[in-house]
Coordinates of all heavy atoms in Angstrom, one line a residue:
M1 N 4.8 -42.4 -9.7 CA 5.6 -41.2 -9.4 C 5.8 -40.4 -10.7 O 6.2 -40.9 -11.6 CB 6.9 -41.7 -8.8 CG 7.6 -40.6 -8.1 SD 8.8 -41.4 -7.1 CE 10.1 -40.3 -6.9
S2 N 5.3 -39.2 -10.7 CA 5.4 -38.3 -11.8 C 6.7 -37.5 -11.8 O 7.1 -37.1 -10.7 CB 4.2 -37.4 -11.9 OG 4.3 -36.5 -10.9
E3 N 7.3 -37.3 -12.9 CA 8.5 -36.5 -13.0 C 8.1 -35.1 -13.6 O 7.2 -35.0 -14.4 CB 9.5 -37.3 -14.0 CG 10.0 -38.5 -13.4 CD 11.2 -39.1 -14.2 OE1 11.9 -38.2 -14.8 OE2 11.3 -40.3 -14.2
Y4 N 8.8 -34.2 -13.1 CA 8.6 -32.8 -13.6 C 9.6 -32.5 -14.7 O 10.7 -32.8 -14.7 CB 8.8 -31.8 -12.4 CG 7.9 -32.0 -11.3 CD1 8.2 -32.5 -10.2 CD2 6.6 -31.4 -11.4 CE1 7.2 -32.7 -9.1 CE2 5.6 -31.5 -10.4 CZ 6.0 -32.1 -9.3 OH 5.1 -32.2 -8.3
S5 N 8.9 -32.0 -15.7 CA 9.8 -31.5 -16.8 C 10.4 -30.1 -16.5 O 9.9 -29.4 -15.7 CB 9.0 -31.4 -18.2 OG 8.1 -30.4 -18.1
E6 N 11.5 -29.8 -17.1 CA 12.1 -28.5 -16.8 C 11.3 -27.4 -17.2 O 11.2 -26.4 -16.5 CB 13.5 -28.4 -17.5 CG 14.3 -27.2 -17.2 CD 15.7 -27.2 -17.8 OE1 16.2 -28.3 -18.0 OE2 16.1 -26.1 -18.1
H7 N 10.6 -27.5 -18.4 CA 9.7 -26.5 -18.8 C 8.5 -26.3 -17.9 O 8.1 -25.2 -17.5 CB 9.2 -26.8 -20.2 CG 8.2 -25.8 -20.8 ND1 8.6 -24.6 -21.1 CD2 6.9 -26.0 -21.1 CE1 7.5 -23.9 -21.5 NE2 6.4 -24.7 -21.5
G8 N 8.0 -27.4 -17.4 CA 6.8 -27.3 -16.4 C 7.2 -26.6 -15.1 O 6.4 -25.8 -14.6
V9 N 8.4 -26.9 -14.6 CA 8.8 -26.3 -13.4 C 9.1 -24.8 -13.6 O 8.7 -24.0 -12.8 CB 10.1 -27.0 -12.8 CG1 10.7 -26.2 -11.7 CG2 9.8 -28.4 -12.4
H10 N 9.7 -24.5 -14.8 CA 10.0 -23.1 -15.1 C 8.7 -22.4 -15.2 O 8.5 -21.2 -14.7 CB 10.7 -23.1 -16.4 CG 11.0 -21.6 -16.8 ND1 11.9 -20.8 -16.2 CD2 10.6 -20.9 -17.9 CE1 11.9 -19.7 -16.8 NE2 11.1 -19.7 -17.8
R11 N 7.6 -22.9 -15.8 CA 6.4 -22.3 -16.0 C 5.7 -22.0 -14.7 O 5.2 -20.9 -14.3 CB 5.4 -23.1 -16.9 CG 4.1 -22.4 -17.1 CD 3.2 -23.3 -18.1 NE 3.2 -24.7 -17.8 CZ 2.4 -25.3 -16.8 NH1 1.6 -24.6 -16.1 NH2 2.4 -26.6 -16.6
E12 N 5.7 -23.0 -13.7 CA 5.1 -22.9 -12.5 C 5.9 -21.8 -11.6 O 5.2 -21.0 -10.9 CB 5.1 -24.2 -11.7 CG 4.3 -24.2 -10.4 CD 3.9 -25.5 -9.9 OE1 3.9 -26.5 -10.7 OE2 3.6 -25.6 -8.7
V13 N 7.2 -21.8 -11.6 CA 7.9 -20.8 -10.9 C 7.6 -19.4 -11.5 O 7.4 -18.5 -10.7 CB 9.4 -21.0 -11.1 CG1 10.3 -19.8 -10.5 CG2 9.8 -22.3 -10.3
T14 N 7.4 -19.2 -12.8 CA 7.1 -17.9 -13.3 C 5.7 -17.5 -12.9 O 5.4 -16.3 -12.5 CB 7.1 -18.0 -14.9 OG1 8.4 -18.5 -15.3 CG2 6.8 -16.7 -15.5
E15 N 4.7 -18.5 -12.8 CA 3.4 -18.1 -12.3 C 3.4 -17.6 -10.9 O 2.8 -16.7 -10.5 CB 2.5 -19.3 -12.5 CG 2.0 -19.6 -13.9 CD 1.3 -20.9 -14.1 OE1 0.8 -21.4 -13.0 OE2 1.0 -21.4 -15.1
L16 N 4.2 -18.4 -10.0 CA 4.3 -18.0 -8.6 C 4.9 -16.7 -8.4 O 4.6 -15.9 -7.6 CB 5.1 -19.1 -7.8 CG 4.3 -20.4 -7.7 CD1 5.2 -21.4 -7.0 CD2 3.1 -20.2 -6.8
E17 N 5.9 -16.3 -9.2 CA 6.6 -15.0 -9.1 C 5.6 -13.9 -9.5 O 5.6 -12.9 -8.9 CB 7.9 -15.0 -10.0 CG 9.0 -15.7 -9.5 CD 10.2 -15.8 -10.5 OE1 10.0 -15.4 -11.7 OE2 11.3 -16.1 -10.0
S18 N 4.8 -14.2 -10.5 CA 3.8 -13.2 -10.9 C 2.8 -13.0 -9.8 O 2.4 -11.8 -9.5 CB 3.1 -13.6 -12.2 OG 2.0 -12.8 -12.5
K19 N 2.3 -14.0 -9.2 CA 1.3 -13.9 -8.1 C 2.0 -13.2 -6.9 O 1.3 -12.4 -6.3 CB 0.8 -15.3 -7.7 CG -0.1 -15.9 -8.7 CD -0.5 -17.3 -8.2 CE -1.4 -17.9 -9.3 NZ -1.8 -19.4 -8.9
S20 N 3.2 -13.5 -6.6 CA 3.9 -12.9 -5.5 C 4.0 -11.4 -5.7 O 3.9 -10.5 -4.8 CB 5.2 -13.5 -5.3 OG 6.0 -12.8 -4.3
A21 N 4.4 -10.9 -7.0 CA 4.5 -9.5 -7.2 C 3.2 -8.9 -7.1 O 3.2 -7.7 -6.6 CB 5.1 -9.4 -8.6
T22 N 2.2 -9.5 -7.6 CA 0.8 -8.9 -7.5 C 0.4 -8.7 -6.0 O 0.0 -7.6 -5.6 CB -0.2 -9.7 -8.2 OG1 0.2 -9.8 -9.6 CG2 -1.6 -9.1 -8.1
A23 N 0.6 -9.7 -5.2 CA 0.4 -9.6 -3.8 C 1.2 -8.5 -3.1 O 0.7 -7.8 -2.2 CB 0.6 -10.9 -3.1
A24 N 2.5 -8.4 -3.5 CA 3.3 -7.4 -2.9 C 2.8 -6.0 -3.2 O 2.8 -5.1 -2.4 CB 4.8 -7.6 -3.4
R25 N 2.4 -5.8 -4.5 CA 1.8 -4.4 -4.8 C 0.6 -4.1 -4.1 O 0.3 -3.0 -3.7 CB 1.6 -4.4 -6.4 CG 2.9 -4.0 -7.1 CD 2.6 -3.7 -8.6 NE 1.8 -4.7 -9.3 CZ 2.3 -5.8 -9.8 NH1 3.6 -6.1 -9.7 NH2 1.5 -6.6 -10.4
L26 N -0.3 -5.2 -4.0 CA -1.5 -5.0 -3.3 C -1.5 -4.7 -1.9 O -2.1 -3.9 -1.3 CB -2.4 -6.3 -3.5 CG -3.8 -6.2 -3.0 CD1 -4.6 -5.1 -3.7 CD2 -4.5 -7.6 -3.2
F27 N -0.5 -5.4 -1.2 CA -0.3 -5.2 0.3 C 0.8 -4.4 0.6 O 1.5 -4.6 1.7 CB -0.4 -6.6 0.9 CG -1.6 -7.3 0.8 CD1 -1.7 -8.5 0.0 CD2 -2.8 -6.9 1.4 CE1 -2.9 -9.2 -0.2 CE2 -4.0 -7.6 1.3 CZ -4.0 -8.7 0.5
D28 N 1.2 -3.5 -0.2 CA 2.4 -2.6 0.1 C 2.0 -1.8 1.3 O 0.9 -1.3 1.4 CB 2.5 -1.6 -1.1 CG 3.8 -0.8 -1.0 OD1 4.5 -0.9 0.1 OD2 4.2 -0.1 -1.9
V29 N 2.9 -1.8 2.3 CA 2.7 -1.1 3.6 C 2.4 0.3 3.4 O 1.6 0.9 4.2 CB 3.9 -1.3 4.5 CG1 3.8 -0.6 5.8 CG2 4.1 -2.8 4.8
R30 N 3.0 1.0 2.4 CA 2.7 2.4 2.3 C 1.2 2.7 1.9 O 0.6 3.6 2.3 CB 3.6 3.0 1.1 CG 5.0 2.9 1.5 CD 5.9 3.3 0.3 NE 5.7 2.4 -0.8 CZ 6.3 2.5 -1.9 NH1 7.1 3.5 -2.2 NH2 6.2 1.5 -2.9
R31 N 0.6 1.8 1.1 CA -0.8 1.9 0.7 C -1.7 1.7 1.9 O -2.6 2.5 2.1 CB -1.2 0.8 -0.3 CG -2.6 0.8 -0.8 CD -2.9 -0.3 -1.7 NE -1.8 -0.5 -2.7 CZ -1.9 0.0 -4.0 NH1 -2.9 0.6 -4.4 NH2 -0.9 -0.2 -4.8
I32 N -1.3 0.7 2.8 CA -2.2 0.5 4.0 C -2.1 1.6 4.9 O -3.1 2.1 5.5 CB -1.8 -0.9 4.6 CG1 -2.1 -2.0 3.6 CG2 -2.5 -1.1 5.9 CD1 -1.5 -3.4 4.0
I33 N -0.8 2.0 5.3 CA -0.6 3.0 6.3 C -1.2 4.3 5.8 O -1.9 5.1 6.5 CB 0.9 3.3 6.6 CG1 1.4 2.0 7.4 CG2 1.1 4.5 7.4 CD1 2.9 2.0 7.6
G34 N -0.9 4.7 4.5 CA -1.5 5.9 3.9 C -3.0 6.0 3.9 O -3.6 7.0 4.2
G35 N -3.6 4.9 3.6 CA -5.1 4.8 3.4 C -5.7 5.0 4.9 O -6.7 5.7 5.0
L36 N -5.1 4.3 5.8 CA -5.7 4.4 7.2 C -5.5 5.8 7.7 O -6.4 6.3 8.4 CB -5.0 3.4 8.1 CG -5.5 1.9 8.0 CD1 -4.7 1.0 8.8 CD2 -6.9 1.8 8.2
F37 N -4.3 6.4 7.5 CA -4.1 7.8 8.0 C -5.1 8.8 7.3 O -5.6 9.7 8.0 CB -2.7 8.2 7.9 CG -1.8 8.0 9.1 CD1 -1.1 6.9 9.2 CD2 -1.9 8.8 10.2 CE1 -0.3 6.6 10.3 CE2 -1.1 8.6 11.3 CZ -0.3 7.4 11.3
V38 N -5.3 8.6 6.0 CA -6.2 9.5 5.4 C -7.6 9.3 5.9 O -8.3 10.2 6.2 CB -6.2 9.3 3.8 CG1 -7.3 10.0 3.1 CG2 -4.9 9.8 3.3
L39 N -8.1 8.0 6.1 CA -9.4 7.7 6.6 C -9.5 8.3 8.0 O -10.6 9.1 8.2 CB -9.6 6.2 6.6 CG -11.0 5.8 7.2 CD1 -12.1 6.3 6.3 CD2 -10.9 4.3 7.4
Y40 N -8.7 8.0 8.9 CA -8.8 8.6 10.3 C -8.6 10.1 10.3 O -9.2 10.8 11.1 CB -7.8 7.9 11.2 CG -8.1 6.4 11.4 CD1 -7.2 5.5 11.5 CD2 -9.5 6.0 11.6 CE1 -7.5 4.1 11.7 CE2 -9.8 4.6 11.8 CZ -8.7 3.7 11.8 OH -9.0 2.4 12.0
G41 N -7.8 10.6 9.4 CA -7.5 12.1 9.4 C -8.8 12.7 9.0 O -9.2 13.8 9.5
V42 N -9.6 12.2 8.0 CA -10.8 12.8 7.7 C -11.8 12.8 8.8 O -12.4 13.7 9.1 CB -11.4 12.1 6.4 CG1 -12.9 12.5 6.2 CG2 -10.6 12.4 5.1
I43 N -11.9 11.7 9.5 CA -12.9 11.6 10.6 C -12.4 12.5 11.8 O -13.3 13.2 12.3 CB -12.8 10.1 11.2 CG1 -13.5 9.2 10.1 CG2 -13.6 10.0 12.5 CD1 -13.3 7.7 10.4
V44 N -11.2 12.6 12.1 CA -10.8 13.5 13.2 C -10.9 15.0 12.8 O -11.3 15.8 13.6 CB -9.3 13.2 13.7 CG1 -8.8 14.1 14.7 CG2 -9.3 11.7 14.2
T45 N -10.6 15.3 11.5 CA -10.8 16.7 11.0 C -12.2 17.1 11.1 O -12.5 18.2 11.5 CB -10.2 16.8 9.6 OG1 -8.8 16.4 9.6 CG2 -10.4 18.2 9.1
I46 N -13.1 16.2 10.7 CA -14.6 16.6 10.8 C -14.9 16.7 12.3 O -15.7 17.7 12.6 CB -15.4 15.5 10.2 CG1 -15.2 15.5 8.6 CG2 -16.9 15.6 10.5 CD1 -15.8 14.3 7.9
A47 N -14.4 15.9 13.2 CA -14.7 16.1 14.6 C -14.1 17.5 15.1 O -14.7 18.1 15.9 CB -14.1 15.0 15.4
G48 N -13.0 17.9 14.5 CA -12.4 19.2 14.9 C -13.2 20.4 14.4 O -13.4 21.3 15.0
I49 N -13.8 20.2 13.1 CA -14.5 21.3 12.6 C -15.8 21.5 13.3 O -16.3 22.6 13.5 CB -14.8 21.0 11.1 CG1 -13.4 21.1 10.3 CG2 -15.8 21.9 10.5 CD1 -13.6 20.6 8.9
T50 N -16.4 20.3 13.8 CA -17.7 20.4 14.6 C -17.6 20.5 16.0 O -18.5 20.2 16.8 CB -18.6 19.2 14.1 OG1 -17.9 18.0 14.5 CG2 -18.8 19.2 12.7
A51 N -16.3 20.8 16.5 CA -16.1 20.9 18.0 C -16.9 22.0 18.6 O -17.1 23.0 18.1 CB -14.6 21.1 18.2
S52 N -17.4 21.6 19.8 CA -18.2 22.6 20.5 C -17.3 23.5 21.4 O -16.1 23.2 21.6 CB -19.2 21.9 21.5 OG -18.5 21.2 22.4
D53 N -17.9 24.5 22.0 CA -17.1 25.4 22.9 C -16.6 24.6 24.1 O -15.4 24.9 24.6 CB -17.9 26.6 23.2 CG -18.1 27.6 22.0 OD1 -17.3 27.5 21.1 OD2 -19.1 28.3 22.1
A54 N -17.4 23.7 24.6 CA -17.0 23.0 25.7 C -15.8 22.1 25.4 O -14.9 22.0 26.3 CB -18.2 22.0 26.2
D55 N -15.8 21.5 24.2 CA -14.5 20.7 23.9 C -13.3 21.6 23.7 O -12.3 21.2 24.1 CB -14.8 20.0 22.5 CG -15.9 19.0 22.6 OD1 -16.1 18.4 23.6 OD2 -16.5 18.7 21.5
L56 N -13.5 22.8 23.2 CA -12.3 23.7 23.1 C -11.9 24.2 24.5 O -10.7 24.4 24.7 CB -12.6 24.9 22.2 CG -12.9 24.6 20.7 CD1 -13.4 25.8 20.0 CD2 -11.7 24.0 20.1
D57 N -12.8 24.4 25.4 CA -12.4 24.8 26.7 C -11.6 23.7 27.4 O -10.7 24.0 28.2 CB -13.6 25.2 27.6 CG -14.3 26.4 27.1 OD1 -13.6 27.2 26.5 OD2 -15.5 26.7 27.4
K58 N -12.0 22.4 27.2 CA -11.2 21.3 27.8 C -9.8 21.3 27.3 O -8.9 20.9 28.0 CB -11.9 19.9 27.4 CG -13.1 19.5 28.3 CD -13.4 18.1 28.0 CE -14.8 18.1 27.3 NZ -15.2 16.7 27.1
A59 N -9.5 21.7 26.1 CA -8.2 21.6 25.5 C -7.5 23.1 25.6 O -6.6 23.3 24.9 CB -8.3 21.2 24.0
E60 N -8.0 23.9 26.5 CA -7.5 25.2 26.7 C -7.4 26.1 25.4 O -6.5 26.7 25.2 CB -6.1 25.1 27.4 CG -6.2 24.5 28.8 CD -4.9 24.5 29.4 OE1 -3.9 25.2 29.0 OE2 -4.7 23.8 30.5
G61 N -8.5 25.9 24.7 CA -8.7 26.8 23.5 C -8.0 26.3 22.2 O -8.1 26.9 21.2
V62 N -7.3 25.1 22.4 CA -6.7 24.6 21.1 C -7.7 23.5 20.5 O -8.1 22.7 21.2 CB -5.3 24.0 21.5 CG1 -4.7 23.3 20.3 CG2 -4.4 25.0 22.1
N63 N -7.9 23.7 19.2 CA -8.7 22.7 18.6 C -7.9 21.5 18.2 O -7.4 21.4 17.1 CB -9.4 23.3 17.3 CG -10.6 22.5 16.8 OD1 -10.7 21.4 17.2 ND2 -11.4 23.1 16.1
I64 N -7.6 20.7 19.2 CA -6.6 19.6 19.0 C -7.1 18.5 18.0 O -6.3 18.0 17.2 CB -6.3 18.9 20.4 CG1 -5.2 18.0 20.3 CG2 -7.5 18.1 20.9 CD1 -4.0 18.5 20.9
N65 N -8.4 18.3 17.9 CA -8.9 17.4 16.8 C -8.6 17.9 15.5 O -8.3 17.1 14.6 CB -10.4 17.2 17.0 CG -10.7 16.2 18.2 OD1 -9.9 15.5 18.6 ND2 -11.9 16.3 18.7
L66 N -8.9 19.2 15.2 CA -8.6 19.8 13.9 C -7.1 19.6 13.5 O -6.8 19.2 12.4 CB -9.1 21.2 13.9 CG -8.9 21.9 12.6 CD1 -9.7 21.3 11.4 CD2 -9.2 23.4 12.7
W67 N -6.2 20.1 14.4 CA -4.8 20.0 14.1 C -4.3 18.6 14.0 O -3.5 18.3 13.1 CB -4.0 20.8 15.2 CG -4.2 22.2 15.1 CD1 -5.0 23.0 15.9 CD2 -3.8 23.1 14.0 NE1 -5.0 24.3 15.5 CE2 -4.3 24.4 14.3 CE3 -3.1 22.8 12.8 CZ2 -4.0 25.4 13.4 CZ3 -2.8 23.9 12.0 CH2 -3.3 25.2 12.3
T68 N -4.8 17.6 14.8 CA -4.4 16.3 14.7 C -4.9 15.7 13.4 O -4.2 14.9 12.7 CB -4.9 15.4 15.9 OG1 -4.4 16.0 17.1 CG2 -4.4 14.0 15.9
G69 N -6.1 16.0 13.1 CA -6.7 15.4 11.8 C -6.0 16.0 10.6 O -5.7 15.2 9.7
L70 N -5.6 17.2 10.6 CA -4.9 17.8 9.5 C -3.5 17.1 9.3 O -3.0 16.9 8.3 CB -4.8 19.3 9.6 CG -6.1 20.0 9.4 CD1 -5.9 21.5 9.6 CD2 -6.6 19.8 8.0
G71 N -2.8 16.9 10.5 CA -1.6 16.2 10.5 C -1.7 14.8 10.0 O -0.8 14.3 9.3
M72 N -2.7 14.1 10.4 CA -2.9 12.7 9.9 C -3.2 12.7 8.4 O -2.7 11.8 7.7 CB -4.1 12.1 10.7 CG -3.8 11.8 12.1 SD -5.2 11.2 13.0 CE -5.2 9.5 12.5
L73 N -4.0 13.7 8.0 CA -4.2 13.8 6.6 C -3.0 14.0 5.8 O -2.7 13.3 4.7 CB -5.2 14.9 6.2 CG -6.7 14.6 6.4 CD1 -7.5 15.8 6.2 CD2 -7.1 13.6 5.3
A74 N -2.1 14.9 6.3 CA -0.8 15.2 5.6 C 0.1 14.0 5.6 O 0.7 13.7 4.6 CB -0.1 16.3 6.3
L75 N 0.1 13.2 6.7 CA 1.0 12.1 6.7 C 0.5 11.0 5.8 O 1.2 10.3 5.0 CB 1.1 11.5 8.1 CG 2.1 10.3 8.3 CD1 3.5 10.7 8.0 CD2 1.9 9.8 9.7
G76 N -0.9 10.8 5.8 CA -1.5 9.8 4.8 C -1.3 10.1 3.4 O -0.9 9.2 2.6
L77 N -1.4 11.4 3.1 CA -1.2 11.8 1.7 C 0.3 11.7 1.3 O 0.6 11.4 0.2 CB -1.7 13.2 1.5 CG -3.2 13.4 1.5 CD1 -3.6 14.9 1.5 CD2 -3.9 12.6 0.5
F78 N 1.2 11.9 2.3 CA 2.6 11.6 2.0 C 2.9 10.3 1.7 O 3.6 10.0 0.7 CB 3.4 12.1 3.2 CG 4.9 11.6 3.2 CD1 5.8 12.3 2.3 CD2 5.3 10.5 3.9 CE1 7.1 11.8 2.4 CE2 6.6 10.1 3.8 CZ 7.5 10.7 3.0
F79 N 2.4 9.3 2.4 CA 2.6 7.9 2.1 C 1.9 7.5 0.8 O 2.6 6.8 -0.1 CB 2.0 7.0 3.2 CG 2.9 6.7 4.4 CD1 2.8 7.5 5.5 CD2 3.9 5.7 4.3 CE1 3.7 7.2 6.5 CE2 4.7 5.5 5.3 CZ 4.7 6.3 6.5
L80 N 0.8 8.0 0.4 CA 0.1 7.7 -0.8 C 0.9 8.3 -2.0 O 1.0 7.7 -3.1 CB -1.3 8.1 -0.8 CG -2.2 7.3 0.2 CD1 -3.6 7.8 0.1 CD2 -2.1 5.8 -0.2
G81 N 1.4 9.5 -1.7 CA 2.3 10.2 -2.8 C 3.5 9.4 -3.0 O 4.0 9.3 -4.2
W82 N 4.1 9.0 -2.0 CA 5.3 8.2 -2.1 C 5.1 6.9 -2.8 O 5.9 6.5 -3.7 CB 5.8 7.9 -0.7 CG 7.1 7.0 -0.5 CD1 8.1 6.9 -1.4 CD2 7.5 6.4 0.6 NE1 9.1 6.1 -0.9 CE2 8.8 5.7 0.3 CE3 6.9 6.1 1.9 CZ2 9.4 4.9 1.3 CZ3 7.6 5.4 2.8 CH2 8.9 4.8 2.5
L83 N 4.0 6.3 -2.6 CA 3.6 5.1 -3.4 C 3.4 5.4 -4.8 O 3.9 4.6 -5.7 CB 2.3 4.5 -2.7 CG 1.8 3.3 -3.4 CD1 2.7 2.1 -3.3 CD2 0.4 2.9 -2.9
W84 N 2.8 6.5 -5.1 CA 2.6 6.9 -6.5 C 3.9 7.3 -7.2 O 4.1 6.9 -8.4 CB 1.5 8.1 -6.5 CG 1.2 8.5 -7.9 CD1 0.5 7.8 -8.8 CD2 1.5 9.7 -8.6 NE1 0.3 8.5 -9.9 CE2 0.9 9.7 -9.8 CE3 2.2 10.9 -8.1 CZ2 1.0 10.7 -10.7 CZ3 2.2 11.9 -9.0 CH2 1.7 11.8 -10.2
L85 N 4.8 8.0 -6.5 CA 6.0 8.5 -7.2 C 7.0 7.4 -7.3 O 7.9 7.4 -8.2 CB 6.5 9.7 -6.4 CG 5.7 10.9 -6.5 CD1 6.3 12.1 -5.5 CD2 5.7 11.5 -7.9
R86 N 7.1 6.5 -6.3 CA 8.1 5.4 -6.3 C 7.4 4.0 -6.2 O 7.5 3.4 -5.1 CB 9.0 5.6 -5.1 CG 9.8 6.9 -5.1 CD 10.9 6.9 -6.2 NE 11.8 5.9 -5.7 CZ 13.1 5.9 -6.1 NH1 13.5 6.8 -6.8 NH2 13.9 5.0 -5.7
P87 N 6.6 3.5 -7.2 CA 6.0 2.2 -7.1 C 7.0 1.1 -7.0 O 8.2 1.3 -7.4 CB 5.1 2.2 -8.3 CG 5.9 3.0 -9.3 CD 6.5 4.1 -8.5
L88 N 6.5 0.0 -6.6 CA 7.5 -1.2 -6.5 C 7.8 -1.6 -8.0 O 7.0 -1.5 -8.9 CB 6.7 -2.4 -5.9 CG 6.5 -2.3 -4.4 CD1 5.7 -3.5 -4.0 CD2 7.8 -2.2 -3.6
K89 N 9.1 -1.9 -8.2 CA 9.5 -2.3 -9.5 C 9.1 -3.7 -9.8 O 9.2 -4.6 -8.9 CB 11.0 -2.1 -9.6 CG 11.5 -0.6 -9.4 CD 12.8 -0.4 -10.0 CE 13.3 0.9 -9.6 NZ 12.7 2.1 -10.3
Q90 N 8.7 -4.0 -11.0 CA 8.4 -5.3 -11.4 C 9.7 -6.0 -11.7 O 10.6 -5.5 -12.3 CB 7.5 -5.3 -12.6 CG 6.1 -5.2 -12.3 CD 5.2 -5.4 -13.5 OE1 5.6 -5.2 -14.6 NE2 4.0 -6.0 -13.3
A91 N 9.7 -7.3 -11.4 CA 10.9 -8.1 -11.7 C 10.9 -8.3 -13.3 O 9.8 -8.4 -13.9 CB 10.8 -9.4 -11.1
P92 N 12.1 -8.3 -13.9 CA 12.1 -8.5 -15.3 C 11.6 -9.8 -15.7 O 11.8 -10.9 -15.0 CB 13.6 -8.2 -15.7 CG 14.3 -8.5 -14.4 CD 13.4 -8.1 -13.4
A93 N 10.9 -9.9 -16.8 CA 10.3 -11.2 -17.3 C 11.4 -12.1 -17.7 O 12.3 -11.6 -18.5 CB 9.2 -10.9 -18.3
P94 N 11.4 -13.3 -17.4 CA 12.4 -14.2 -17.9 C 12.2 -14.5 -19.4 O 11.1 -14.4 -19.9 CB 12.2 -15.5 -17.1 CG 10.7 -15.4 -16.6 CD 10.4 -14.0 -16.5
P95 N 13.2 -14.7 -20.1 CA 13.1 -14.9 -21.6 C 12.3 -16.2 -21.8 O 12.4 -17.2 -21.1 CB 14.6 -15.0 -22.1 CG 15.4 -15.3 -20.9 CD 14.6 -14.8 -19.7
E96 N 11.5 -16.1 -22.8 CA 10.7 -17.3 -23.1 C 11.5 -18.3 -23.8 O 12.2 -18.0 -24.8 CB 9.5 -16.8 -24.0 CG 8.4 -16.1 -23.3 CD 7.7 -16.8 -22.2 OE1 7.4 -18.1 -22.4 OE2 7.5 -16.3 -21.1
E97 N 11.4 -19.5 -23.5 CA 12.1 -20.6 -24.1 C 11.1 -21.4 -24.8 O 10.0 -21.8 -24.3 CB 12.9 -21.4 -23.0 CG 14.0 -20.7 -22.4 CD 14.7 -21.5 -21.4 OE1 14.6 -22.8 -21.4 OE2 15.3 -21.0 -20.5
P98 N 11.4 -21.9 -26.0 CA 10.5 -22.8 -26.7 C 10.3 -24.2 -26.0 O 11.3 -24.6 -25.4 CB 11.1 -22.9 -28.2 CG 12.5 -22.6 -28.0 CD 12.6 -21.6 -26.8
P99 N 9.2 -24.7 -26.0 CA 9.1 -26.1 -25.3 C 10.0 -27.1 -25.9 O 10.1 -27.2 -27.1 CB 7.6 -26.4 -25.4 CG 7.0 -25.5 -26.5 CD 8.0 -24.3 -26.6
A100 N 10.6 -27.9 -25.1 CA 11.4 -29.0 -25.5 C 10.5 -30.1 -26.0 O 9.4 -30.4 -25.6 CB 12.2 -29.5 -24.4
E101 N 11.0 -30.7 -27.1 CA 10.2 -31.8 -27.8 C 10.7 -33.1 -27.3 O 11.7 -33.4 -27.0 CB 10.3 -31.7 -29.3 CG 9.6 -30.5 -29.8 CD 9.7 -30.4 -31.3 OE1 9.7 -31.5 -32.0 OE2 9.7 -29.3 -31.9

């Protein structure tokens, strides 16, 4: 049966906190939502730009794909801007303690 030293446990907890903070930044919901809205917004906007007269007649003259795509782009850029302006704060690093002898 192995015993854990206080320094070893402290080091492992610090490593896990670092990995957790990295994962939280990587999988921030604002990044995922913003990225998807921008991607789909570009696709729908292109569909709106290339809409035929028959498509416009179906929507009673409103280019719904263009307006929806622009709205999606605006929302996606809002989320990405929010992420850029207010990033997740890093937890303060714990003070380093010299190893016990």
Side-chain angles (χ1 to χ4, degrees):
M1 196 161 154
S2 67
E3 292 190 29
Y4 293 105
S5 69
E6 186 175 330
H7 178 67
V9 170
H10 178 68
R11 182 178 45 80
E12 188 160 340
V13 167
T14 303
E15 287 175 11
L16 288 173
E17 284 175 346
S18 172
K19 289 178 184 178
S20 175
T22 302
R25 279 191 306 279
L26 183 62
F27 295 110
D28 189 354
V29 174
R30 297 173 294 179
R31 181 185 315 262
I32 295 168
I33 291 174
L36 286 174
F37 267 99
V38 167
L39 176 68
Y40 293 139
V42 167
I43 293 169
V44 174
T45 301
I46 291 172
I49 291 170
T50 60
S52 66
D53 289 335
D55 292 334
L56 293 175
D57 288 341
K58 280 193 244 180
E60 297 185 12
V62 177
N63 195 341
I64 192 103
N65 284 337
L66 180 63
W67 289 109
T68 303
L70 291 174
M72 292 173 77
L73 276 172
L75 184 63
L77 291 174
F78 167 76
F79 272 97
L80 294 177
W82 180 20
L83 177 68
W84 182 68
L85 292 172
R86 302 284 294 203
L88 290 177
K89 301 206 188 276
Q90 276 189 330
E96 290 295 322
E97 295 180 19
E101 292 183 31

